[in-house]
Amino acid sequence: MDRDAEDTGRDAGRRRVLLAAPRGYCAGVDRAVIAVERALEKYGAPIYVRHEIVHNKYVVRTLEKKGAIFVDETAEVPEGEIVIFSAHGVSPEVHREAERGKLATVDATCPLVTKVHKEAVRFARQDYDILLIGHEGHEEVIGTSGEAPEHITLVDGPKDAASVEVRDPEKVVWLSQTTLSVDETMETVDALKTRFPLLVSPPSDDICYATQNRQTAVKQVAAEAQLVLVVGSKNSSNSARMVEAALGAGADASYLVDNAGEIDEAWLEGVTTVGLSSGASVPEVLVDGALEWLAERGFDDVEIVQPMEEHIQFSLPKELRRDLRAEAAEKVRG
């Protein structure tokens, strides 16, 4: 598509960046990262973290330098140590493993993921079959499925809707992973409703506000940009979905990059407008690096595209709040 030919009002030599907002850290990621930092300050290194606290290489490496040790399984944490559960959530069995290992735990599960866990438990108690829309093997899906394994069936996109089986078509509900594509999720739901007309929806959207907002913003950017760059790690579901959203909204090309070093200069050939955003687990320093890289190549005209604002914040995990309050009280007494 020759967008310049369509936009006669645009300067022929003008190179611009459309910077999407909101972008980057959501409230759940911010909470989880701060939880690790505060735990290191309060208890000292090392602090063990089960799986990546959030799906971003830069964040993980930065926390490792401060004394965090990331492990794949709870059994890898020495007895009596502190382990932090990642923002993606864990199953009840992981909590039991921590108890057996006599581990002190800090649960940094995003409150919006916890909401889905509670929904799964509630519908299972009512003996519903639960169709969990999500990506097989994703940590969040594993954690949610562990809440009610006998009731939950994974539906990995519209293609799975045709083959899923339930015990009672009149008693089935769908839930979803919080970081999915809004459009694809609703396509999956529509396909499920074709088979199960009485399919119950969750009381409120499971796809988190930040995922939806970032997809909305990147779609608006993509409508005017030939190239859209999304800063985020390859294992970040919400970042990958933003690339898909950009392509679906009209961008000629869209790529997921961990940082500016992964941008290919060849992508800029014939491009006058670049869209830029970042996934919900990406610190702003990485976006700044991409902006600097683009500015060095003549893309120094930056416009903010902000279809909505975000003001949501989450409090720290209860275990940290308790210990920090006790520390503050001790200082007052002293």
Side-chain angles (χ1 to χ4, degrees), residues 250-328:
D252 296 333
S254 183
Y255 300 97
L256 182 63
V257 296
D258 253 305
N259 51 56
E262 294 188 356
I263 304 174
D264 188 339
E265 199 157 353
W267 297 343
L268 298 178
E269 186 176 349
V271 171
T272 57
T273 301
V274 175
L276 180 63
S277 190
S278 60
S281 51
V282 177
E284 191 66 8
V285 63
L286 298 181
V287 177
D288 291 341
L291 284 171
E292 291 172 10
W293 188 95
L294 290 166
E296 290 169 359
R297 289 153 181 82
F299 290 83
D300 53 2
D301 183 355
V302 180
E303 299 178 22
I304 306 295
V305 177
Q306 185 166 5
M308 76 285 292
E309 295 185 0
E310 288 180 355
H311 302 287
I312 294 177
Q313 292 182 314
F314 295 137
S315 58
L316 285 172
K318 61 183 180 181
E319 302 91 348
L320 271 174
R321 296 201 308 271
R322 177 197 63 210
D323 290 351
L324 292 171
R325 278 197 301 268
E327 181 182 52

Side-chain angles (χ1 to χ4, degrees), residues 192-204:
L192 289 170
K193 284 184 175 178
T194 299
R195 294 197 59 209
F196 311 115
L198 298 180
L199 180 70
V200 175
S201 298
S204 59

Side-chain angles (χ1 to χ4, degrees), residues 18 27-28 34 60 75 80 87 91 99 105 111 118 127 138 141 161 174 189 193 196 203 224 230 256 270 272-273 307:
L18 300 180
I34 291 174
V60 169
S91 68
E99 289 179 9
T105 61
K118 290 179 177 178
D127 201 31
H138 191 278
V141 166
W174 70 270
V189 171
K193 284 184 175 178
F196 311 115
E224 297 186 55
V230 177
L256 182 63
T272 57
T273 301

Side-chain angles (χ1 to χ4, degrees), residues 108-299:
T109 301
C110 173
L112 299 180
V113 174
T114 300
K115 164 187 166 291
V116 181
H117 282 212
K118 290 179 177 178
E119 289 173 346
V121 170
R122 179 165 64 85
F123 282 112
R125 284 175 179 163
Q126 297 172 18
D127 201 31
Y128 274 80
D129 277 347
I130 301 167
L131 303 181
L132 178 60
I133 301 173
H135 297 305
E136 186 172 3
H138 191 278
E139 291 159 37
E140 184 184 326
V141 166
I142 293 171
T144 302
S145 297
E147 294 286 355
E150 295 180 358
H151 288 263
I152 292 178
T153 300
L154 178 64
V155 181
D156 194 347
K159 66 182 188 307
D160 279 1
S163 58
V164 67
E165 297 294 337
V166 300
R167 294 171 300 160
D168 182 356
E170 296 186 358
K171 203 165 187 181
V172 58
V173 61
W174 70 270
L175 303 176
S176 81
Q177 182 180 328
T178 64
T179 55
L180 299 180
S181 159
V182 176
D183 295 337
E184 184 177 331
T185 300
M186 296 319 298
E187 182 183 347
T188 304
V189 171
D190 289 343
L192 289 170
K193 284 184 175 178
T194 299
R195 294 197 59 209
F196 311 115
L198 298 180
L199 180 70
V200 175
S201 298
S204 59
D205 285 347
D206 284 345
I207 298 178
C208 86
Y209 76 95
T211 296
Q212 295 187 51
N213 289 350
R214 279 149 190 72
Q215 289 177 21
T216 298
V218 85
K219 285 178 183 178
Q220 190 165 323
V221 163
E224 297 186 55
Q226 296 127 322
L227 169 68
V228 175
L229 301 175
V230 177
V231 182
S233 291
K234 301 299 184 291
N235 62 339
S236 168
S237 175
N238 79 86
S239 299
R241 302 293 81 74
M242 290 172 67
V243 171
E244 295 170 1
L247 291 170
D252 296 333
S254 183
Y255 300 97
L256 182 63
V257 296
D258 253 305
N259 51 56
E262 294 188 356
I263 304 174
D264 188 339
E265 199 157 353
W267 297 343
L268 298 178
E269 186 176 349
V271 171
T272 57
T273 301
V274 175
L276 180 63
S277 190
S278 60
S281 51
V282 177
E284 191 66 8
V285 63
L286 298 181
V287 177
D288 291 341
L291 284 171
E292 291 172 10
W293 188 95
L294 290 166
E296 290 169 359
R297 289 153 181 82
F299 290 83

Side-chain angles (χ1 to χ4, degrees), residues 43-99:
Y43 311 119
I47 293 292
Y48 291 85
V49 184
R50 186 183 184 277
H51 293 174
E52 294 184 352
I53 187 68
V54 295
H55 286 158
N56 184 265
K57 291 180 182 178
Y58 178 90
V59 171
V60 169
R61 289 169 183 163
T62 299
L63 293 173
E64 283 178 332
K65 291 176 183 176
K66 295 180 178 181
I69 298 176
F70 292 87
V71 298
D72 291 328
E73 300 298 338
T74 313
E76 298 175 49
V77 182
E79 185 175 301
E81 292 287 350
I82 297 170
V83 62
I84 298 180
F85 297 139
S86 78
H88 310 102
V90 297
S91 68
E93 177 56 30
V94 173
H95 285 280
R96 291 190 286 269
E97 289 173 359
E99 289 179 9

